[in-house]
């Protein structure tokens, strides 16, 4: 059963990633030169360049004709160079005057290119520009994939039990989708939730294994050489919390301000709850390799709280269960405490 959920979760992440890429690609189906320069700007500049070239060619022909007349006078080199420079200056001034008379509005063209660079489209009015800016820089409301890994320990305010005395390396691996909801375009606050798949692995040390007899779970000594002993439990997790972003407000133009929700330094706090999907007791050693997926009295429900510090796409977190790792009186009062790092959270 858990494999089906794992595959489903991975497919969700892949589909989300592909859809995100499609959205990006759909905005850039034009040739490269068309996505970097506004078509209107390109047309205006090409038209202006063609007119300038016509002016230069016309004046160049007239200047060449005048230079031929000058050359026919058989002047000495010094005088010829002097008069040649005067002719060149005269035609240079004429070219400048004719180009200036074209009335090319450079400021307007630059403004159009700036708008195009911001929105990847030409807009005809300030109202249209403002609408597009408000749409482009609206409050964040989306799903994003995340992956986390943490080192886990079990806390206990009672005298050590057998598990506390023989606990080896334990960890928590998780991936899923995080839902981000920024309260407004400029708000530093946001609501976070989502859906994740979590695998919690507890390893026994000192040649001990998790054993079960008549439904009772305990640690027992393994007879022989033990290579691996771990109890792995999968949970379907749902977090609910809030995030605060310390990024400064940015100006998009047209008196529109926004705050990047997923950039910069952020602080988040959430509670979480989970339901058990499966348990797998893995033992390997001395020609013995077993995987037992029966009930090992691991708590079928977990709940707790998490505190997260994030910068851009990387986060560090600590999460603490309020529920016992095992149910009933088994390894009583042991609760998971996890320190870890995450990508995309």
């Amino acid at each position: 059963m858990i494999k089906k959920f794992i595959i489903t979760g991975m497919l969700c992440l892949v589909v989300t990633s592909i859809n995100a890429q499609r959205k990006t690609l759909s905005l850039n189906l034009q040739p490269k030169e068309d996505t970097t320069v506004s078509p209107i700007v390109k047309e205006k500049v090409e038209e202006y360049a063609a007119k300038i070239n016509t002016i230069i060619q016309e004046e160049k022909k007239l200047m060449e004709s005048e230079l031929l007349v000058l050359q026919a006078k058989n002047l000495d080199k010094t005088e010829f160079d002097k008069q040649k420079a005067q002719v060149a200056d005269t035609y240079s001034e004429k070219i400048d005057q004719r180009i200036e008379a074209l009335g090319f509005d450079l400021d307007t063209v630059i403004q159009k290119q700036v708008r195009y660079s911001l929105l990847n489209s030409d807009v005809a009015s300030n109202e249209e520009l403002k609408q597009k800016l408000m749409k482009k820089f609206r409050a964040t409301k989306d799903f994003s994939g995340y992956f986390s890994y943490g080192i886990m320990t079990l806390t206990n305010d009672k005298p050590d039990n057998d598990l506390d005395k023989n606990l080896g390396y334990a960890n928590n691996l998780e991936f899923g989708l995080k839902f981000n909801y920024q309260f407004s375009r400029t708000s530093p606050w946001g609501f976070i939730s989502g859906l994740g798949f979590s695998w919690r692995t507890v390893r026994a040390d000192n040649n001990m294994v998790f054993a079960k007899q008549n439904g009772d779970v305990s640690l027992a000594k393994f007879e022989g050489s033990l290579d691996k002993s771990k109890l792995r439990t999968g949970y379907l997790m749902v977090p609910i919390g809030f995030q605060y972003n310390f990024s400064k407000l940015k100006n998009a133009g047209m008196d529109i301000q926004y705050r990047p929700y997923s950039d910069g330094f952020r602080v988040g706090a959430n509670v979480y709850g989970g339901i058990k999907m499966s348990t797998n007791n893995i033992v390997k050693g001395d020609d013995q390799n077993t995987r037992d997926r029966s009930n090992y009295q691991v708590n079928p429900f977990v709940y707790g709280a998490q505190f997260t510090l994030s910068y851009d796409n990387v986060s560090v977190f600590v999460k603490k269960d309020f529920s016992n790792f095992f149910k009933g009186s088994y390894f009583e009062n042991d609760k998971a405490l996890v320190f870890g790092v995450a990508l995309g959270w």
Side-chain angles (χ1 to χ4, degrees):
M1 184 66 176
I2 188 64
K3 290 183 178 179
K4 294 181 180 179
F5 281 95
I6 295 172
I7 294 172
T8 302
M10 289 182 174
L11 287 174
C12 287
L13 288 177
V14 170
V15 170
T16 301
S17 176
I18 291 174
N19 285 337
Q21 292 178 11
R22 284 176 176 173
K23 289 180 181 179
T24 302
L25 290 174
S26 66
L27 298 176
N28 294 281
L29 294 178
Q30 306 172 35
K32 183 177 180 181
E33 61 271 15
D34 291 335
T35 60
T36 55
V37 179
S38 162
I40 291 180
V41 171
K42 183 179 179 182
E43 180 181 353
K44 293 286 186 183
V45 171
E46 288 178 348
E47 179 183 348
Y48 184 58
K51 290 181 179 179
I52 291 176
N53 184 61
T54 300
I55 291 173
I56 293 174
Q57 295 303 321
E58 290 175 353
E59 296 299 331
K60 182 180 178 182
K61 288 181 179 179
L62 293 174
M63 185 181 71
E64 289 176 347
S65 298
E66 191 167 333
L67 288 176
L68 288 174
V69 173
L70 183 64
Q71 191 175 10
K73 293 181 179 181
N74 294 322
L75 301 173
D76 61 77
K77 186 176 185 308
T78 302
E79 183 63 23
F80 177 79
D81 291 340
K82 179 181 177 181
Q83 294 191 28
K84 179 180 177 182
Q86 291 175 348
V87 171
D89 289 341
T90 299
Y91 280 94
S92 176
E93 291 179 4
K94 288 178 63 178
I95 290 173
D96 290 342
Q97 291 172 358
R98 290 186 63 182
I99 291 176
E100 186 175 354
L102 292 176
F104 184 73
D105 192 345
L106 182 60
D107 290 339
T108 300
V109 172
I110 292 175
Q111 187 180 39
K112 287 182 179 294
Q113 179 59 37
V114 170
R115 292 182 177 184
Y116 186 83
S117 298
L118 281 174
L119 302 172
N120 200 26
S121 65
D122 290 303
V123 291
S125 66
N126 288 337
E127 290 76 14
E128 185 181 356
L129 173 62
K130 189 168 185 176
Q131 289 178 1
K132 287 183 176 291
L133 287 173
M134 291 179 68
K135 183 177 181 180
K136 180 180 178 68
F137 297 101
R138 62 182 179 270
T140 298
K141 297 177 181 63
D142 64 17
F143 283 94
S144 59
Y146 75 90
F147 172 86
S148 71
Y149 182 85
I151 299 173
M152 183 172 68
T153 187
L154 299 177
T155 63
N156 194 336
D157 58 4
K158 293 187 176 183
D160 289 343
N161 54 46
D162 286 344
L163 180 57
D164 298 331
K165 296 174 182 177
N166 297 284
L167 181 64
Y169 179 73
N171 66 277
N172 180 195
L173 175 69
E174 186 172 327
F175 77 87
L177 292 174
K178 177 188 175 186
F179 175 63
N180 305 292
Y181 184 95
Q182 187 180 11
F183 292 143
S184 70
R185 180 184 292 105
T186 59
S187 176
W189 287 98
F191 172 77
I192 56 177
S193 186
L195 182 66
F197 297 91
S198 173
W199 288 268
R200 298 177 168 200
T201 302
V202 176
R203 294 172 174 81
D205 207 354
N206 302 321
N207 224 50
M208 304 292 282
V209 297
F210 290 93
K212 185 171 64 172
Q213 185 175 9
N214 298 325
D216 293 331
V217 176
S218 62
L219 285 178
K221 197 75 174 180
F222 184 79
E223 299 300 330
S225 177
L226 181 64
D227 295 328
K228 185 183 300 183
S229 173
K230 54 187 177 183
L231 187 67
R232 176 175 293 153
T233 305
Y235 287 93
L236 186 64
M237 307 290 286
V238 176
I240 297 177
F242 299 93
Q243 174 180 282
Y244 186 88
N245 192 309
F246 289 89
S247 296
K248 295 181 179 180
L249 287 174
K250 293 188 176 182
N251 192 351
M254 305 293 291
D255 296 324
I256 297 175
Q257 291 185 313
Y258 70 98
R259 191 186 308 272
Y261 180 81
S262 301
D263 298 339
F265 180 62
R266 309 183 302 283
V267 174
N270 64 272
V271 294
Y272 57 84
I275 182 171
K276 185 176 70 173
M277 306 302 296
S278 71
T279 299
N280 193 359
N281 184 27
I282 304 169
V283 177
K284 183 178 181 181
D286 280 355
D287 299 327
Q288 180 178 345
N289 189 354
T290 63
R291 291 175 176 267
D292 186 2
R293 293 181 171 84
S294 61
N295 182 15
Y296 274 80
Q297 304 302 332
V298 178
N299 203 327
F301 302 100
V302 295
Y303 58 91
Q306 177 174 326
F307 178 75
T308 307
L309 297 176
S310 306
Y311 187 82
D312 289 345
N313 200 44
V314 180
S315 305
V316 293
F317 66 87
V318 56
K319 59 172 33 177
K320 178 70 169 66
D321 282 1
F322 301 146
S323 56
N324 293 339
F325 197 88
F326 292 87
K327 63 182 180 180
S329 60
Y330 299 100
F331 309 112
E332 192 175 359
N333 209 38
D334 274 341
K335 295 178 172 63
L337 176 65
V338 181
F339 298 90
V341 296
L343 297 177
W345 184 265

